[in-house]
Amino acid sequence: MKSLDTASANRQFSDNLPIYNLKAVVQETGLKPDTLRAWERRYGLPEPERTEGGHRLYSQYDIDTLKWLNARLDEGLNISRAVALWRELIGSGQHPLQTVVESPIQTREQPIAPPLTVPQSQPPAIVPRSDAREIAGDQIGELRQLWLAACLDFDEQLAEQALNQAFAILPVETVCTQIIQHGLAEIGQGWQQGQVTVQQEHFASALAIRRLHSLLSAAPPPTRTGSILVACPPAEEHTFSPILLTLLLRRRGWHVLYLGANVPISHMVETIGRARPTLVILTAQQLHTAATLLEMSNALRAHNLPMAYGGRIFIHEPSIRAHIAGYFLGSSFENALELIEQIMASPRPHQVDQEVQPAYVQALHTFQAHSAQIEASAWDRPRAANMGQNAMMAAFELMHQTAAASLTLGNASYLINGAQWIREYLAIHHQWETEQIDLFFASYVDAAQMHLPPQGELILQSLRTLNEPTE
C-alpha cells in the first residue's frame, strides 16, 4: 500500500498532466469554447499546453481552476474580479483550490471551494492581465515606490498591502521581477551609497524572501521530466536571486530542489550523488564567492553534469566566465529561463574555456601561508591612528578575501577593482577619511612586500598599484 505522501504526490502529478482536449473541458465545465479562449487570452487563466499541431491540452488542475472561477461568477463577482481574487490568494501564500472563500451570495449546493477569507487590503481598480502592458509603466513604478517606502519606514503591513495590490492586477512573474527584484536593487544601491542602513536593507530582503517562500509553497507540482538543483556556493549568503529563479522554474513545471545559502562543497557533492539532478545551477554575487563557485564547479566536473551559473559579479568581471565549466545564464531572468530550458532539452556538460594557470595556484598557496603575518605587521600604523578595531578587522577581511579570490580566479588585476570597492565601503560605512584609507593600504602593501617570498610576486604586482595615494 502506498504511503499518504506518495499517494498525494502521485495525485498532484496526475492532476497537472495535460490530457484533456477543448471539447472535454467544455463538457466538464459548461463553459463555451469562446469563453475559454477569451479568459486565456485576456487573463492568462487557465494556461493549457499546446500539441505540436497547436491544439490546446488541459489538465485536471486547469479544469478545477475553471470551476473555481465559474463558482465565483455564480456568487456575483465579474470575471476580472474573480481572476484578481485568485491572484490575490496566490500572492498571499494561499492556494485558491485549498482555501475557503467567503461569499455574499451562495447559489451552488456544493461550491467548488467552500467559503474563504480574503486578505483585507483593498486593491486598486482591477485591470485584466492582458492589459498589464498598458499599466506597466506608471502603475508598476508607483507600486514599487510604495513598497520601497514602506520597507524603508519598517512598515510591514503597508509593504504587504502594496504587494497584494500588485499581485491582484499583474502576473506573479512581473511582480517578482519588476517590483520586488528591482526594488531590492534600488535598496542595495542606496546601501552602497550610504543612503540606506543595513537594517533597512535586511528588513526589505527578509520581507521579499518570505513572500517568495509563500509563493513557492503555492506553486503547482512539476509536470516536466528532469530535475534541477539550485544552490549558493560557500560563503554566498545572498539568496533572493536563487529563490526567485527556483520559483520561476517551478511555475514553468520544473522539479527544482533548492539548497539555500553557503552550501559546503562536500555537502553539494553528497547531495548530487543522492538526488541525481539533470542540471545544477549556482549563483554568486561577489568576487570572493565567484571564487568558491569556481572551486565548487571544479569539484562537480567529475560527475559529468551540466552546470549553469549567474550573478552580478560575472557581469562586472566577464573574464571570470572563461575559467568556469558551465553555462552563463546572462543578465536577466528571462534569458536565464530560456537558456535553462534549452539545456534541459539537451543536457550536456559545458567545457571550461581556460584553466587557471599553475602559477596562480602556487601564488595563492603562498599568499594564504603568509596572510596572518601580513595582517599582524600591518596593524600597527592604522591602530596608532585610532581608526577603530572593528573597521580595521573588516578592512583586513575584505583585503584577504579579494586578494585570495583574485588568485583563485586566475587574474590578480581583479584586486585593483576590488580595492576600489573596499575604499568606498570604508569611506561610507566606517567614515574613514581618504588619508586613513591611504594609510591602511600603504601599511598592508608594505607588510606584504616584507613577508611574501618570490612565489607571491603575482599578487604583489597588483598590491603595489594600491600603494599610491588618491588625489
Side-chain angles (χ1 to χ4, degrees), residues 152-438:
L152 296 177
D153 286 341
F154 300 103
D155 191 333
E156 181 175 346
Q157 183 176 5
L158 181 58
E160 293 298 326
Q161 287 177 355
L163 291 184
N164 288 341
Q165 290 177 15
F167 281 116
I169 60 175
L170 295 166
V172 169
E173 290 79 0
T174 301
V175 178
C176 289
T177 56
Q178 299 299 315
I179 294 180
I180 302 179
Q181 181 200 8
H182 288 187
L184 288 180
E186 288 189 35
I187 289 177
Q189 185 176 8
W191 176 82
Q192 291 180 353
Q193 296 172 351
Q195 300 170 351
V196 173
T197 67
V198 67
Q199 293 82 10
Q200 289 172 315
E201 191 273 336
H202 286 175
F203 179 80
S205 296
L207 288 184
I209 290 172
R210 186 176 69 189
R211 179 56 70 104
L212 291 188
H213 279 298
S214 296
L215 293 170
L216 276 174
S217 67
T223 59
R224 306 170 81 165
T225 58
S227 62
I228 302 170
L229 190 152
V230 178
C232 298
E236 181 56 71
E237 300 288 349
H238 295 85
T239 59
F240 176 81
S241 291
I243 295 175
L244 177 53
L245 184 61
T246 298
L247 172 64
L248 298 177
L249 287 169
R250 285 188 180 176
R251 286 180 57 80
R252 290 192 173 206
W254 294 106
H255 172 62
V256 186
L257 175 62
Y258 172 66
L259 298 186
N262 190 24
V263 178
I265 293 177
S266 60
H267 293 186
M268 186 69 168
V269 171
E270 178 185 358
T271 302
I272 285 175
R274 299 181 64 179
R276 300 187 180 279
T278 310
L279 171 67
V280 174
I281 299 176
L282 305 176
T283 65
Q285 308 300 330
Q286 304 167 88
L287 186 71
H288 71 281
T289 54
T292 62
L293 187 149
L294 172 62
E295 293 171 345
M296 181 174 277
S297 69
N298 288 337
L300 299 182
R301 287 164 72 177
H303 294 262
N304 203 35
L305 275 175
M307 195 275 286
Y309 65 96
R312 63 175 176 266
I313 183 61
F314 303 106
I315 300 171
H316 295 161
E317 297 285 3
S319 57
I320 296 175
R321 305 175 205 166
H323 300 303
I324 298 178
Y327 298 87
F328 175 57
L329 294 177
S331 58
S332 71
F333 281 96
E334 291 79 7
N335 292 339
L337 292 170
E338 291 182 9
L339 178 56
I340 290 167
E341 296 200 335
Q342 291 175 16
I343 298 170
M344 294 297 287
S346 180
R348 57 181 180 272
H350 187 287
Q351 301 302 315
V352 65
D353 294 331
Q354 181 182 346
E355 299 284 357
V356 174
Q357 297 177 9
Y360 279 95
V361 178
Q362 184 181 28
L364 174 63
H365 293 323
T366 301
F367 173 74
Q368 290 177 327
H370 295 83
S371 61
Q373 294 171 295
I374 294 171
E375 292 182 15
S377 296
W379 264 88
D380 293 339
R381 280 190 286 171
R383 181 162 49 191
N386 297 319
M387 293 164 63
Q389 183 169 343
N390 290 338
M392 287 172 58
M393 290 176 63
F396 279 119
E397 181 180 4
L398 290 172
M399 280 298 297
H400 179 269
Q401 287 179 344
T402 305
S406 300
L407 294 172
T408 300
L409 296 168
N411 190 337
S413 66
Y414 295 149
L415 175 60
I416 298 173
N417 291 337
Q420 181 58 39
W421 184 89
I422 294 173
R423 284 182 175 274
E424 295 172 359
Y425 174 83
L426 293 173
I428 293 172
H429 297 285
H430 292 286
Q431 289 77 53
W432 278 10
E433 301 292 338
T434 300
E435 294 76 10
Q436 293 176 304
I437 297 173
D438 289 341

